[in-house]
Amino acid sequence: MKVLVVVPTYNEVDNVRPLIREILAQGETIDVWVADDGSPDGTGAAVREAMAEFPGRVELIDRGHKGGRGAAVLASFKKGLADPHGYDIFFEMDADFSHHPREIPKFLAKLQTHDMVIGSRYVEGGSTSEWGAARPLLSWMANKYIALVAGVPVRDTTSGYRGYRRAVLEQCDFDRIKIKGYVVHGEMAYQAWVNGFQLGEVPIHFKNRVRDASKLTSEEIYMALLNFALLRFRYGFRPKKRARPAEVRS
Ligand SMILES: Nc1nc2c(ncn2[C@@H]2O[C@H](COP(=O)(O)OP(=O)(O)OP(=O)(O)O)[C@@H](O)[C@H]2O)c(=O)[nH]1
Ligand SMILES: [Mg+2]
């Protein structure tokens, strides 16, 4: 089973190499693509060093200018689907160790019976750390809101740590995803669900890096709330019928 882990980066020079090492240590059939938006801190150069350290297992997708996490990941998935390696499983995860690579085997186990697996802070065993009061509340409320207006049967729709079977991404209509902020995660999950795929969650520990303030603007928040409310009308209310996933060969 060939696995591709996509890591979006913007100014992650200190994290990216240690992260690549930890991801590759999770299995011999795992490759890593770093989708960097021309980070001024030299993240790209650090990735090139990792490419020399692990020949054939690491790629740099240099996108040149800052275009947002979501856009970088979607572009990498498109490229990954067309890649001759024929990847069976795709992951996305943050570069700042908020998402720890040691959780990857747990995702892979669940992907034996599910099409898309979300690393969840809000299922039993999941947790977060180092957060102030505002952000966990905002995140929790956002997830409750999404559950209410969109009805996707997962607890942590906004989590950016996830694994997809190839078929889920092949069916995904990337070009319909217009807003490239934090709603990308909700919209991808909605598309997977409406396309009839089996969604699952594994508990993760989300370790937040210490930062002064939330980078979300109020405009981004309003646009996200509106977009979630429209998902049902844009994509339909009910999942298509689809045969249950076959066991993936390992
Ligand atoms: N390619 C790309 N990656 C990005 C961009 N913005 C953020 N990222 C990456 O996306 C991931 C999540 O971004 P973070 O900055 O950690 O966002 P956050 O977790 O909400 O905020 P923090 O509290 O700062 O950690 C990290 O790996 C970032 O390097 C971007 O514009 N382009
Ligand atoms: Mg982060």
Side-chain angles (χ1 to χ4, degrees), residues 54-248:
F54 303 102
R57 296 188 66 190
V58 181
E59 291 290 338
L60 172 65
I61 312 295
D62 188 356
R63 311 221 337 124
H65 65 277
K66 186 159 171 43
R69 183 198 189 283
V73 170
L74 295 188
S76 304
F77 281 163
K78 271 192 190 174
K79 211 169 146 69
L81 286 171
D83 190 86
H85 280 97
Y87 293 110
D88 303 295
I89 301 284
F90 293 76
F91 275 83
E92 61 176 295
M93 64 189 293
D94 290 354
D96 57 358
F97 280 95
S98 286
H99 301 149
H100 204 284
R102 71 168 84 92
E103 320 253 25
I104 287 175
K106 207 160 56 177
F107 283 77
L108 290 174
K110 191 112 186 174
L111 282 161
Q112 296 278 327
T113 51
H114 292 72
D115 298 299
M116 174 175 172
V117 173
I118 297 180
S120 179
R121 296 161 285 187
Y122 308 120
V123 293
E124 181 149 7
S127 56
T128 65
S129 69
E130 294 179 39
W131 279 16
R135 210 168 102 157
L137 188 67
L138 195 69
S139 164
W140 185 84
M141 274 173 22
N143 276 293
K144 283 284 170 205
Y145 171 81
I146 297 162
L148 188 75
V149 301
V152 189
V154 287
R155 304 281 279 278
D156 199 350
T157 334
T158 59
S159 166
Y161 196 3
R162 354 159 112 203
Y164 307 83
R165 284 188 183 198
R166 182 183 183 91
V168 176
L169 296 184
E170 280 173 343
Q171 294 287 307
C172 183
D173 191 346
F174 296 111
D175 298 333
R176 269 185 99 173
I177 303 177
K178 298 289 182 222
I179 303 177
K180 297 279 159 52
Y182 281 69
V183 286
V184 171
H185 296 127
E187 196 158 338
M188 294 275 286
Y190 198 83
Q191 282 201 18
W193 180 65
V194 142
N195 283 334
F197 290 109
Q198 181 102 340
L199 273 54
E201 285 177 284
V202 289
I204 56 158
H205 175 66
F206 180 93
K207 183 172 172 292
N208 194 42
R209 73 169 137 200
V210 190
R211 283 266 174 115
D212 327 335
S214 170
K215 289 169 286 183
L216 283 178
T217 62
S218 51
E219 192 190 340
E220 278 175 318
I221 295 174
Y222 294 136
M223 287 308 289
L225 294 179
L226 177 67
N227 194 64
F228 288 129
L230 293 176
L231 285 173
R232 281 185 155 148
F233 302 98
R234 292 176 57 212
Y235 292 107
F237 276 63
R238 268 181 230 302
K240 286 180 199 149
K241 286 214 167 18
R242 186 179 284 279
R244 290 276 68 88
E247 292 275 315
V248 178

